[in-house]
Coordinates of all heavy atoms in Angstrom, one line a residue:
L8 N 85.7 163.1 68.1 CA 85.9 162.8 66.7 C 86.1 164.1 65.9 O 87.1 164.2 65.1 CB 84.8 161.9 66.1 CG 84.9 161.5 64.6 CD1 86.2 160.7 64.4 CD2 83.7 160.8 64.2
C9 N 85.2 165.0 66.0 CA 85.4 166.3 65.3 C 86.6 167.0 65.7 O 87.3 167.6 64.9 CB 84.1 167.2 65.6 SG 82.6 166.5 64.9
S10 N 87.0 167.0 67.0 CA 88.2 167.7 67.5 C 89.4 167.0 66.9 O 90.4 167.7 66.5 CB 88.3 167.6 69.0 OG 87.2 168.3 69.6
Y11 N 89.4 165.7 66.8 CA 90.6 165.0 66.2 C 90.7 165.3 64.7 O 91.8 165.5 64.2 CB 90.4 163.5 66.4 CG 91.5 162.7 65.8 CD1 92.8 162.6 66.3 CD2 91.3 162.1 64.5 CE1 93.8 161.9 65.7 CE2 92.3 161.4 63.9 CZ 93.6 161.3 64.5 OH 94.6 160.6 63.9
I12 N 89.6 165.4 64.0 CA 89.7 165.7 62.6 C 90.2 167.1 62.4 O 91.1 167.4 61.5 CB 88.3 165.6 61.9 CG1 87.8 164.1 61.9 CG2 88.3 166.2 60.5 CD1 86.4 163.9 61.5
V13 N 89.7 168.1 63.2 CA 90.3 169.5 63.1 C 91.7 169.5 63.4 O 92.5 170.2 62.7 CB 89.5 170.4 64.0 CG1 90.1 171.8 64.1 CG2 88.0 170.5 63.6
W14 N 92.1 168.8 64.5 CA 93.6 168.8 64.9 C 94.4 168.2 63.8 O 95.5 168.7 63.5 CB 93.7 168.0 66.2 CG 95.1 167.7 66.6 CD1 95.9 168.6 67.3 CD2 95.9 166.6 66.3 NE1 97.2 168.0 67.5 CE2 97.2 166.8 66.9 CE3 95.6 165.4 65.6 CZ2 98.2 165.8 66.7 CZ3 96.7 164.5 65.5 CH2 97.9 164.7 66.1
Y15 N 93.9 167.1 63.2 CA 94.7 166.4 62.2 C 94.9 167.3 61.0 O 96.0 167.3 60.4 CB 94.0 165.1 61.8 CG 94.8 164.2 60.9 CD1 95.9 163.5 61.3 CD2 94.5 164.1 59.5 CE1 96.7 162.7 60.5 CE2 95.2 163.3 58.7 CZ 96.3 162.6 59.1 OH 97.0 161.9 58.3
C16 N 93.8 168.0 60.6 CA 93.9 168.9 59.4 C 94.9 170.0 59.7 O 95.7 170.4 58.8 CB 92.5 169.4 59.1 SG 91.3 168.2 58.5
R17 N 94.9 170.6 60.9 CA 95.8 171.6 61.2 C 97.3 171.1 61.2 O 98.2 171.8 60.8 CB 95.5 172.2 62.6 CG 94.3 173.1 62.7 CD 94.1 173.5 64.1 NE 92.9 174.5 64.2 CZ 92.5 175.0 65.3 NH1 93.0 174.6 66.5 NH2 91.4 175.8 65.3
W18 N 97.4 169.9 61.7 CA 98.8 169.2 61.7 C 99.3 169.1 60.2 O 100.4 169.5 60.0 CB 98.7 167.9 62.4 CG 100.1 167.2 62.5 CD1 100.7 166.6 61.5 CD2 100.9 167.1 63.6 NE1 101.9 166.1 61.9 CE2 102.1 166.4 63.3 CE3 100.8 167.5 65.0 CZ2 103.1 166.1 64.2 CZ3 101.8 167.3 65.9 CH2 102.9 166.6 65.5
I19 N 98.5 168.6 59.4 CA 98.9 168.4 58.0 C 99.2 169.7 57.3 O 100.2 169.9 56.6 CB 97.7 167.7 57.2 CG1 97.5 166.3 57.7 CG2 98.1 167.7 55.7 CD1 98.7 165.3 57.5
Y20 N 98.3 170.7 57.6 CA 98.5 172.1 57.0 C 99.7 172.8 57.5 O 100.5 173.3 56.7 CB 97.3 172.9 57.2 CG 97.4 174.3 56.7 CD1 97.3 174.6 55.4 CD2 97.6 175.4 57.6 CE1 97.4 175.9 54.9 CE2 97.7 176.7 57.1 CZ 97.7 176.9 55.8 OH 97.8 178.2 55.3
N21 N 100.0 172.8 58.8 CA 101.1 173.5 59.4 C 102.4 172.9 59.2 O 103.4 173.5 58.9 CB 100.9 173.7 60.9 CG 99.7 174.6 61.2 OD1 99.5 175.6 60.5 ND2 99.0 174.4 62.3
F22 N 102.5 171.5 59.3 CA 103.8 170.9 59.3 C 104.1 170.1 58.0 O 105.3 170.0 57.7 CB 103.9 169.9 60.5 CG 103.6 170.5 61.8 CD1 102.5 170.2 62.6 CD2 104.5 171.5 62.3 CE1 102.3 170.8 63.8 CE2 104.3 172.1 63.5 CZ 103.1 171.7 64.3
N23 N 103.1 169.6 57.3 CA 103.4 168.9 56.1 C 103.3 169.9 54.9 O 104.1 169.7 53.9 CB 102.3 167.8 55.9 CG 102.5 166.7 56.9 OD1 103.2 166.9 57.9 ND2 102.0 165.5 56.6
I24 N 102.4 170.8 54.9 CA 102.3 171.7 53.7 C 103.1 173.0 53.9 O 103.9 173.3 53.1 CB 100.8 172.1 53.6 CG1 99.9 170.9 53.2 CG2 100.6 173.2 52.4 CD1 98.4 171.1 53.1
K25 N 103.0 173.7 55.0 CA 103.7 174.9 55.3 C 105.1 174.7 55.8 O 106.0 175.6 55.7 CB 102.9 175.9 56.2 CG 101.6 176.3 55.7 CD 101.0 177.3 56.6 CE 101.7 178.7 56.6 NZ 101.1 179.7 57.3
G26 N 105.4 173.5 56.3 CA 106.7 173.1 56.8 C 107.1 173.9 58.1 O 108.3 174.2 58.2
K27 N 106.2 174.2 59.0 CA 106.6 174.8 60.2 C 107.4 173.9 61.1 O 107.4 172.7 61.0 CB 105.3 175.3 61.0 CG 104.6 176.5 60.4 CD 103.4 176.9 61.3 CE 102.7 178.1 60.8 NZ 101.6 178.5 61.7
E28 N 108.1 174.5 62.0 CA 109.0 173.8 63.0 C 108.1 173.3 64.1 O 107.2 174.0 64.6 CB 110.1 174.6 63.5 CG 111.1 173.9 64.3 CD 112.2 174.8 64.8 OE1 112.3 175.9 64.3 OE2 113.0 174.3 65.6
Y29 N 108.4 172.1 64.6 CA 107.6 171.5 65.7 C 107.8 172.3 67.0 O 108.9 172.7 67.3 CB 108.0 170.1 65.9 CG 107.6 169.1 64.8 CD1 108.6 168.3 64.3 CD2 106.3 169.1 64.3 CE1 108.3 167.4 63.3 CE2 106.0 168.2 63.3 CZ 107.0 167.3 62.8 OH 106.7 166.5 61.8
G30 N 106.7 172.5 67.7 CA 106.8 173.1 69.0 C 107.1 172.0 70.1 O 107.2 170.8 69.7
E31 N 107.2 172.4 71.3 CA 107.5 171.4 72.4 C 106.4 170.4 72.5 O 106.7 169.2 72.6 CB 107.7 172.1 73.7 CG 108.0 171.1 74.9 CD 108.3 171.8 76.2 OE1 109.0 172.9 76.1 OE2 107.9 171.3 77.2
E32 N 105.1 170.8 72.4 CA 104.0 169.9 72.5 C 104.0 168.9 71.4 O 103.8 167.7 71.6 CB 102.7 170.7 72.6 CG 101.5 169.8 72.8 CD 100.2 170.7 72.8 OE1 100.3 171.9 72.9 OE2 99.1 170.1 72.8
E33 N 104.3 169.4 70.2 CA 104.3 168.5 69.0 C 105.4 167.5 69.1 O 105.3 166.3 68.7 CB 104.4 169.3 67.7 CG 103.1 170.0 67.4 CD 102.9 171.3 68.2 OE1 103.9 171.8 68.8 OE2 101.8 171.8 68.3
R34 N 106.6 168.0 69.6 CA 107.7 167.1 69.7 C 107.5 165.9 70.7 O 107.8 164.8 70.5 CB 109.0 167.9 70.1 CG 109.4 168.9 69.1 CD 110.5 169.8 69.6 NE 111.0 170.7 68.5 CZ 111.8 171.7 68.7 NH1 112.3 171.9 70.0 NH2 112.2 172.5 67.7
L35 N 106.9 166.3 71.8 CA 106.6 165.3 72.9 C 105.5 164.3 72.3 O 105.5 163.1 72.6 CB 106.1 165.9 74.1 CG 107.1 166.7 75.0 CD1 106.4 167.4 76.1 CD2 108.2 165.8 75.5
Y36 N 104.6 164.8 71.5 CA 103.6 163.9 70.9 C 104.2 162.9 70.0 O 103.9 161.7 70.0 CB 102.6 164.7 70.1 CG 101.6 163.9 69.4 CD1 100.5 163.3 70.0 CD2 101.7 163.7 68.0 CE1 99.6 162.5 69.3 CE2 100.8 163.0 67.2 CZ 99.8 162.3 67.9 OH 98.9 161.6 67.2
I37 N 105.2 163.3 69.1 CA 105.9 162.4 68.2 C 106.7 161.4 69.0 O 106.7 160.2 68.7 CB 106.8 163.2 67.3 CG1 105.9 164.1 66.4 CG2 107.6 162.2 66.4 CD1 106.7 165.0 65.5
I38 N 107.3 161.8 70.1 CA 108.1 160.9 70.9 C 107.2 159.9 71.6 O 107.6 158.7 71.6 CB 108.9 161.7 72.0 CG1 109.9 162.6 71.3 CG2 109.6 160.8 73.0 CD1 110.6 163.6 72.3
R39 N 106.1 160.3 72.1 CA 105.2 159.4 72.7 C 104.7 158.4 71.7 O 104.5 157.2 72.1 CB 104.0 160.2 73.3 CG 102.9 159.3 74.0 CD 101.9 160.1 74.7 NE 101.1 160.9 73.9 CZ 99.9 160.4 73.3 NH1 99.6 159.2 73.4 NH2 99.2 161.2 72.5
K40 N 104.4 158.8 70.5 CA 103.9 157.8 69.5 C 105.0 156.8 69.1 O 104.8 155.7 68.9 CB 103.4 158.6 68.3 CG 102.1 159.3 68.5 CD 101.0 158.3 68.8 CE 99.6 158.9 68.9 NZ 98.6 158.0 69.3
S41 N 106.2 157.3 69.1 CA 107.3 156.4 68.7 C 107.6 155.4 69.8 O 107.9 154.2 69.6 CB 108.6 157.2 68.6 OG 108.5 158.2 67.5
M42 N 107.3 155.8 71.1 CA 107.5 154.9 72.2 C 106.3 154.0 72.4 O 106.3 153.1 73.3 CB 107.7 155.7 73.5 CG 109.1 156.4 73.5 SD 109.4 157.2 75.1 CE 111.1 157.8 74.9
K43 N 105.2 154.3 71.6 CA 104.0 153.5 71.7 C 103.4 153.5 73.1 O 103.0 152.4 73.7 CB 104.2 152.0 71.2 CG 104.7 152.0 69.8 CD 104.9 150.5 69.4 CE 105.4 150.5 67.9 NZ 105.6 149.1 67.5
M44 N 103.3 154.7 73.7 CA 102.8 154.8 75.1 C 101.5 155.6 75.0 O 101.3 156.5 74.1 CB 103.8 155.6 76.0 CG 105.1 154.9 76.1 SD 106.3 155.9 77.1 CE 105.5 155.9 78.7
S45 N 100.6 155.3 75.9 CA 99.3 156.0 76.0 C 99.6 157.4 76.6 O 100.7 157.6 77.2 CB 98.3 155.3 76.8 OG 98.7 155.1 78.1
K46 N 98.6 158.3 76.5 CA 98.8 159.6 77.1 C 99.0 159.6 78.6 O 99.8 160.3 79.1 CB 97.6 160.5 76.7 CG 97.8 162.0 77.0 CD 96.7 162.8 76.6 CE 96.9 164.3 76.8 NZ 97.3 164.7 78.2
S47 N 98.2 158.7 79.3 CA 98.3 158.6 80.7 C 99.7 158.1 81.1 O 100.3 158.5 82.1 CB 97.2 157.8 81.3 OG 97.2 156.5 80.7
Q48 N 100.2 157.1 80.4 CA 101.5 156.5 80.7 C 102.6 157.5 80.5 O 103.5 157.7 81.3 CB 101.7 155.3 79.7 CG 100.9 154.1 80.1 CD 101.1 153.0 79.1 OE1 101.4 153.2 77.9 NE2 101.1 151.7 79.5
F49 N 102.5 158.3 79.4 CA 103.5 159.3 79.1 C 103.5 160.4 80.1 O 104.5 160.9 80.6 CB 103.3 159.9 77.7 CG 104.5 160.6 77.2 CD1 105.7 160.0 76.7 CD2 104.5 162.0 77.2 CE1 106.8 160.7 76.3 CE2 105.6 162.8 76.7 CZ 106.7 162.1 76.3
D50 N 102.3 160.8 80.5 CA 102.1 161.9 81.5 C 102.7 161.5 82.9 O 103.0 162.4 83.7 CB 100.7 162.3 81.7 CG 100.1 163.0 80.4 OD1 101.0 163.5 79.7 OD2 98.9 163.1 80.2
S51 N 102.7 160.2 83.2 CA 103.2 159.7 84.5 C 104.7 159.8 84.6 O 105.2 159.6 85.7 CB 102.7 158.3 84.7 OG 103.2 157.4 83.8
L52 N 105.4 160.0 83.5 CA 106.8 160.1 83.5 C 107.3 161.4 84.2 O 106.6 162.4 84.2 CB 107.4 160.1 82.1 CG 107.2 158.8 81.2 CD1 107.7 159.0 79.8 CD2 107.8 157.6 81.9
E53 N 108.5 161.3 84.8 CA 109.0 162.5 85.5 C 109.4 163.6 84.4 O 109.7 163.3 83.3 CB 110.3 162.1 86.3 CG 110.0 161.1 87.4 CD 109.2 161.7 88.5 OE1 109.2 162.9 88.6 OE2 108.6 160.9 89.3
D54 N 109.4 164.8 84.9 CA 109.7 165.9 84.0 C 111.1 165.9 83.5 O 111.4 166.2 82.3 CB 109.4 167.2 84.7 CG 108.0 167.5 85.0 OD1 107.1 166.9 84.3 OD2 107.7 168.3 86.0
H55 N 112.0 165.4 84.3 CA 113.4 165.3 83.9 C 113.6 164.3 82.7 O 114.5 164.4 81.9 CB 114.4 165.0 85.0 CG 114.2 163.6 85.6 ND1 114.8 162.5 85.1 CD2 113.5 163.2 86.6 CE1 114.5 161.4 85.8 NE2 113.7 161.8 86.7

């Protein structure tokens, strides 16, 4: 819970306030959320 709060605050500060560009990890996270897939389901996909 504490880790998630820290991560969420960093996300808001970096991308919503400072307007930084998404990295690869952040882009894949947004894609996974759009597809409504769990982390284990998304990790099981092929790299290609």
